Amino acid sequence: MDNRLTAEDRKKQLVKIGLMMLRDQPIHELSIDAIAGQAGISRSLLFHYFPSKRDYYVAVISAAGRRLLRVTKPDEDLPPDEALREMLVQLFAFISRRRTAYISFVRGAAGGDDYAVEVYDDTRIGLCRRVLTFLGTPEVADNRSSLEYLQVHAWLSYTEDLAIEWSGFPEDARPMTSDDLIDHSIEALHTLRKL
């Protein structure tokens, strides 16, 4: 019996290994040799599936962005205000569980790595579209220069940074509970929209 993986399955395996390693280290510190070793293949075979280190990093960080959008997607049957709350519950939980990887994702984009910037922007656009839909203005998502879109985009940055900083404290030293933090974030969104 032949247990070799198909090319597509091997690529998925390599990306999955990268995602697991991303939990503990920034994307640019992932060791290609360690990834290949964990997959039981040679470094040169990894480059058969991904022509360059950059191509591999793009695949991993793109998978991370898709995962974030998937895990923060609330039940479609929830009313909009509950859907927004559920999205934030999942976002804060995601950031808390994968804080190092998430910071790598955000700072990689902030640091100007073009592949990280593009993936981060696509992910942020997806989250903005989702929030604008909850707010009853999905048509605004196509007008990224509108004030409402810019407000939601800025609010997501604020909320994201708040969650990153909050999750860095030991649980018993956090200045508020996750529920309080979510309430604060929702109130901040509504306040911002009134300006």
Side-chain angles (χ1 to χ4, degrees), residues 88 92 155 159 162 180-189:
L88 290 173
F92 283 27
W155 171 77
T159 301
L162 196 60
D180 292 337
L181 196 63
I182 290 164
D183 290 341
H184 170 84
S185 297
I186 292 171
E187 185 178 342
L189 174 61

Side-chain angles (χ1 to χ4, degrees), residues 48 83 96 119:
H48 170 76
S96 290
V119 172

Side-chain angles (χ1 to χ4, degrees), residues 3-59:
N3 288 329
R4 287 182 292 184
L5 298 175
T6 66
E8 192 57 34
D9 287 342
R10 178 66 74 188
K11 286 175 86 168
K12 286 178 184 175
Q13 177 200 34
L14 292 167
V15 168
K16 185 175 179 180
I17 291 168
L19 285 170
M20 288 188 305
M21 289 183 167
L22 196 60
R23 291 178 181 170
D24 302 317
Q25 55 196 305
I27 186 77
H28 61 276
E29 291 180 11
L30 294 184
S31 162
I32 295 298
D33 290 327
I35 291 159
Q38 199 162 3
I41 62 172
S42 69
R43 175 187 176 97
S44 61
L45 187 54
L46 184 143
F47 287 121
H48 170 76
Y49 298 107
F50 299 96
S52 69
K53 189 185 236 187
R54 182 186 185 283
D55 290 316
Y56 178 71
Y57 286 172
V58 167

